[in-house]
Amino acid sequence: MNMEDLLSTQFVKLKEAMDDLFELKSAGHVLELKQSSGVLMFVALKHANRKVKRNIKSGRDELHLQKSKVDLSRLQLQNLLYEVSHLKKEIVRCQKFKSRDTYLELLSDKEYASKFADEGSDKTNMSDHQTHLYRLECELRLRKELDNQYSALLTSKQELLQDNLKQTQKYLSFAPALRTLLESTKPLHDALQLSLDVEWKLSSIFKYLPRALYILFINLQALQRTRKEFASKVVGFESDQQMQELLLETENTLKERRHFTEKSNSCEAVPDNTLDRVLKCHPLHIHLVIDSPDKSSELVLIVRYWELLKCVTVRAQLNSTNNSNFQGDANLVEDLLGHLYPDDTGDHIPIPGIEYELQNLNLTAEQCLEYLVENGFGKPYCWLQSMCSIATVNKKQHFKHEFNLHKWIRKVFTRILKRWRSWLRLTQQIRGLTYKDVDLSASKENIYPDGLSCSLVQWTAISSEEFNIQNAGLIYNLTPSNGITYTSYRAVIVRGSAKMECFIRIPSNYPLDIPLWILSVHWNGRHTSMNNAAIKMMEFWTNSLQPSQLKKGNRLLYSQLFRTIYSFDIFLETEGAMQTVREYNKEKPYISTFTKRIRLRPYKYIMKGSTFTFKQ
């Protein structure tokens, strides 16, 4: 019997005894015998209660023992988990461990083998780690030797400089006598019509250049000795610089005499003539002239310095020897410098703190920039400031101050030259297509001259609005412009009763982005990439052509045109085979009309064995 049943039985018996005592007492009978038996029941109840308490205590002890075991197990589990995490961290740390020698620029294997060829026999039995340590020791020894040689050469250089200084002082002592001799022989120079001092007089203007333009000009002169594609010169007169300095001193004197009346007027809006008076460029500026490969045109970069803005601006100007005017020429000049580097379109003044200096004159950077653009002074590009050793802050608030000017100027000039030549080639291609000055059948971009069945009947420039109206699908998938403008053209290709309209979009950052072609075929209805998978594949085949895939001497726009023409031929010949009235027969060499479940057309022209063929 468990404790609950035992206590219940005792309570029932005690209750019955109490009820009997109550009935006997109510009837007036003797209660001593019943009272004694009832008292004995309390003894049994007390015994049962003691037993219950003993059982409860033993249960609690057992529970406490089990809890202690559980807590101990949990503590052991936490310790194990901590050790596991610690070991994982150690594993990751070991995996990420790199020796400090990995950051050193070691010799190449070829150079190391040539410099330490005599010590190779000592490491035949070494492990890879020991071999690497041995190589580090050898290179450390070599670097110490080179450092000693450098110190010796540096000492020799100092001695040579001291010697040069002594020789210079010695030669300078002859300067007064030579100057006197030059003055005394000047009548003889005039009589013989000699101009020995003309070059010195011309170069004396360089010292009046502002610091930024002087640094740029000196580096351009150094670069000009190795690169013959351009020429640089200083434009302006020494008298203009002196006059500007005199006017500046006069204005400063007048400003000191002004009082509060002038200050109250300065709080009003700044009129346009104030910008003309305050915002003045330095009278001396630099012309950088770059010739085209065929000498038919030249690109002139006009660089000016602005004292108030503490920056330089550049404006591109195209001078052509022939009198041909073309739409691409104007776009070339406007877009040539705007996309040399990402996020550097010249639409802000990249000088740190210039906004606060302009606020003192009640001017804003936007007003000054608008004034520069409207008056044809160009834009202050970040790459141009770096060429002049001017610190800049771009739109992303990244500070830059270029110190390796010779390398940077060479890099920028090379980029400008490549971009300009690319635009010249593109402009020549557009001229040839517009005025039909090119023979398509004899062009070297024509991959299959014998099978040229289509003819280009029209190539005209169109507006951007007309281009955007076309429902070809790709116009909705273009990336954001990021300041990029587009020039649009429309080409019409005809074969028999079929006509294909090609809408070409050329970005202003060409050749970073290539021209985009959108096609629309008019034959038994209108077919575009929206309703015909073959046209979509044709557009992909034309737009997937990259400049790196071209053969040497091939032109990108012509290559895209011939891809489009032959794709149009393939489309008509493969589609015409399924018509009831066959208008176009198979003329191009291809093996199968369709392949795969998506029914690819054989647009690709490849070499198969010793013959060329079209395939998917």
Side-chain angles (χ1 to χ4, degrees):
M1 182 179 296
N2 56 19
M3 294 182 292
E4 184 180 357
D5 296 338
L6 182 61
L7 287 175
S8 298
T9 304
Q10 293 294 332
F11 283 135
V12 171
K13 289 181 180 181
L14 182 60
K15 184 179 180 182
E16 290 177 356
M18 296 294 290
D19 292 341
D20 292 342
L21 287 175
F22 179 74
E23 290 177 358
L24 291 175
K25 187 176 181 180
S26 300
H29 297 289
V30 181
L31 304 175
E32 294 180 359
L33 183 60
K34 290 290 185 179
Q35 287 178 351
S36 300
S37 61
V39 171
L40 292 175
M41 289 183 182
F42 278 103
V43 174
L45 181 62
K46 184 177 181 181
H47 176 71
N49 187 31
R50 189 180 296 111
K51 187 176 181 180
V52 169
K53 287 185 177 180
R54 187 168 55 252
N55 292 337
I56 290 175
K57 184 176 181 302
S58 62
R60 287 178 178 175
D61 294 340
E62 181 69 21
L63 178 62
H64 181 70
L65 179 61
Q66 296 299 328
K67 283 185 176 181
S68 300
K69 292 181 179 180
V70 171
D71 292 340
L72 181 61
S73 300
R74 184 173 297 172
L75 181 60
Q76 292 176 351
L77 176 61
Q78 293 298 328
N79 292 336
L80 291 175
L81 291 176
Y82 176 77
E83 290 182 3
V84 169
S85 63
H86 179 71
L87 291 175
K88 287 183 178 179
K89 290 181 181 179
E90 290 296 328
I91 292 173
V92 173
R93 186 178 302 171
C94 292
Q95 290 175 347
K96 291 183 178 180
F97 173 77
K98 288 184 179 180
S99 179
R100 285 183 294 178
D101 65 281
T102 57
Y103 301 102
L104 298 176
E105 185 177 355
L106 301 178
L107 297 175
S108 63
D109 295 338
K110 185 177 180 180
E111 293 176 345
Y112 176 75
S114 61
K115 291 182 181 295
F116 302 99
D118 300 336
E119 303 178 6
S121 59
D122 299 337
K123 55 179 181 178
T124 54
N125 299 326
M126 293 183 181
S127 62
D128 294 340
H129 180 65
Q130 292 176 343
T131 304
H132 188 64
L133 292 178
Y134 182 75
R135 177 172 182 174
L136 292 178
E137 293 176 358
C138 294
E139 295 210 12
L140 178 61
R141 187 167 63 252
L142 176 62
R143 294 192 180 199
K144 288 182 178 179
E145 294 175 358
L146 293 176
D147 184 66
N148 294 333
Q149 295 178 10
Y150 173 76
S151 301
L153 292 174
L154 190 62
T155 304
S156 176
K157 179 182 177 181
Q158 294 296 332
E159 295 176 354
L160 290 175
L161 288 177
Q162 293 295 332
D163 189 24
N164 290 339
L165 181 59
K166 293 180 182 179
Q167 296 294 336
T168 302
Q169 292 175 353
K170 179 180 177 180
Y171 293 144
L172 287 177
S173 61
F174 295 107
L178 292 176
R179 211 174 283 116
T180 303
L181 179 62
L182 181 63
E183 291 294 333
S184 60
T185 57
K186 191 172 182 180
L188 180 60
H189 296 166
D190 296 338
L192 297 177
Q193 296 182 355
L194 298 177
S195 57
L196 300 180
D197 57 343
V198 172
E199 183 178 354
W200 179 85
K201 288 182 179 179
L202 291 177
S203 61
S204 64
I205 198 174
F206 299 162
K207 64 183 180 181
Y208 292 101
L209 285 171
R211 178 181 179 275
L213 295 185
Y214 183 80
I215 292 175
L216 175 62
F217 184 75
I218 292 301
N219 283 277
L220 288 176
Q221 288 290 308
L223 183 62
Q224 187 175 343
R225 297 188 184 98
T226 58
R227 304 290 294 267
K228 304 301 182 181
E229 299 93 344
F230 75 100
S232 58
K233 61 181 179 179
V234 177
V235 179
F237 299 97
E238 180 181 341
S239 58
D240 296 338
Q241 166 63 16
Q242 295 174 351
M243 181 62 69
Q244 188 180 40
E245 291 180 355
L246 182 61
L247 291 175
L248 185 60
E249 292 178 359
T250 305
E251 288 181 2
N252 292 335
T253 305
L254 293 175
K255 286 181 181 179
E256 293 177 357
R257 298 178 181 177
R258 290 173 185 168
H259 296 291
F260 298 101
T261 55
E262 291 290 336
K263 293 182 180 180
S264 60
N265 293 333
S266 64
C267 297
E268 300 176 359
V270 180
D272 293 338
N273 57 358
T274 305
L275 270 178
D276 295 334
R277 180 174 56 84
V278 175
L279 199 60
K280 293 182 179 179
C281 65
H282 196 275
L284 302 180
H285 54 275
I286 297 177
H287 278 198
L288 178 62
V289 183
I290 307 175
D291 291 327
S292 62
D294 56 355
K295 306 299 182 181
S296 61
S297 60
E298 61 182 16
L299 178 67
V300 182
L301 303 182
I302 306 173
V303 184
R304 292 182 173 88
Y305 180 76
W306 303 85
E307 185 68 32
L308 178 64
L309 303 178
K310 297 181 176 59
C311 68
V312 292
T313 60
V314 61
R315 180 175 70 90
Q317 178 179 325
L318 185 62
N319 296 334
S320 180
T321 56
N322 50 17
N323 296 325
S324 61
N325 296 322
F326 193 67
Q327 177 186 359
D329 297 341
N331 296 336
L332 166 63
V333 175
E334 294 177 0
D335 303 328
L336 180 64
L337 306 177
H339 302 282
L340 283 182
Y341 290 90
D343 299 327
D344 189 7
T345 55
D347 55 356
H348 78 292
I349 301 177
I351 305 301
I354 191 62
E355 297 86 358
Y356 305 105
E357 297 185 17
L358 293 177
Q359 285 179 2
N360 298 330
L361 301 173
N362 293 329
L363 296 175
T364 62
E366 291 75 13
Q367 288 178 339
C368 297
L369 187 64
E370 184 179 357
Y371 174 82
L372 296 177
V373 175
E374 289 180 353
N375 290 273
F377 292 118
K379 295 182 178 181
Y381 299 101
C382 290
W383 53 265
L384 178 63
Q385 317 306 319
S386 298
M387 293 175 68
C388 301
S389 188
I390 299 177
T392 60
V393 175
N394 60 10
K395 292 182 179 179
K396 298 181 180 179
Q397 300 301 316
H398 291 169
F399 179 83
K400 181 181 179 181
H401 194 180
E402 185 65 43
F403 293 103
N404 194 350
L405 297 180
H406 185 66
K407 180 179 179 181
W408 176 256
I409 291 175
R410 185 191 308 167
K411 181 179 179 181
V412 173
F413 175 75
T414 303
R415 184 168 292 197
I416 293 176
L417 188 62
K418 289 182 178 179
R419 182 171 171 79
W420 185 49
R421 289 180 176 178
S422 298
W423 268 101
L424 285 179
R425 289 193 295 268
L426 180 65
T427 304
Q428 291 173 358
Q429 296 173 61
I430 295 176
R431 279 201 185 102
L433 294 174
T434 303
Y435 302 129
K436 298 181 181 180
D437 294 337
V438 59
D439 186 6
L440 295 181
S441 60
S443 177
K444 56 185 176 181
E445 289 83 7
N446 190 354
I447 56 177
Y448 187 54
D450 298 335
L452 188 62
S453 304
C454 299
S455 58
L456 177 67
V457 298
Q458 186 182 14
W459 181 286
T460 56
I462 60 175
S463 63
S464 299
E465 291 77 9
E466 185 177 355
F467 180 88
N468 294 331
I469 292 174
Q470 306 306 316
N471 184 18
L474 285 179
I475 192 64
Y476 305 107
N477 300 325
L478 293 178
T479 56
S481 61
N482 295 326
I484 300 175
T485 58
Y486 298 93
T487 306
S488 303
Y489 297 92
R490 175 179 176 267
V492 179
I493 301 173
V494 175
R495 180 182 177 183
S497 62
K499 181 183 73 171
M500 179 169 65
E501 289 182 308
C502 307
F503 298 93
I504 303 95
R505 192 177 206 182
I506 300 177
S508 59
N509 64 340
Y510 176 86
L512 298 179
D513 293 339
I514 63 173
L516 174 70
W517 291 62
I518 296 179
L519 309 178
S520 177
V521 177
H522 299 271
W523 181 63
N524 294 331
R526 185 169 181 262
H527 306 275
T528 64
S529 60
M530 297 289 291
N531 56 21
N532 195 320
I535 304 300
K536 187 174 184 179
M537 189 61 193
M538 192 187 307
E539 289 182 359
F540 170 77
W541 175 241
T542 300
N543 294 322
S544 63
L545 180 62
Q546 297 296 325
S548 58
Q549 301 173 356
L550 298 177
K551 296 181 180 179
K552 185 176 180 181
N554 284 8
R555 293 155 291 188
L556 177 63
L557 196 62
Y558 286 172
S559 300
Q560 287 184 322
L561 175 63
F562 282 112
R563 273 199 176 191
T564 305
I565 289 176
Y566 286 112
S567 298
F568 184 41
D569 281 340
I570 295 295
F571 173 77
L572 293 178
E573 294 176 12
T574 55
E575 194 75 18
M578 298 183 295
Q579 303 295 325
T580 55
V581 179
R582 178 170 295 187
E583 182 179 356
Y584 302 103
N585 297 319
K586 178 182 176 182
E587 298 179 1
K588 304 295 182 297
Y590 54 85
I591 300 175
S592 58
T593 306
F594 306 102
T595 60
K596 300 182 180 180
R597 297 176 60 185
I598 57 176
R599 298 175 65 83
L600 291 176
R601 312 290 176 111
Y603 294 142
K604 190 175 182 180
Y605 189 66
I606 65 168
M607 184 174 184
K608 186 176 181 62
S610 59
T611 60
F612 288 89
T613 182
F614 289 88
K615 68 164 293 185
Q616 286 78 2

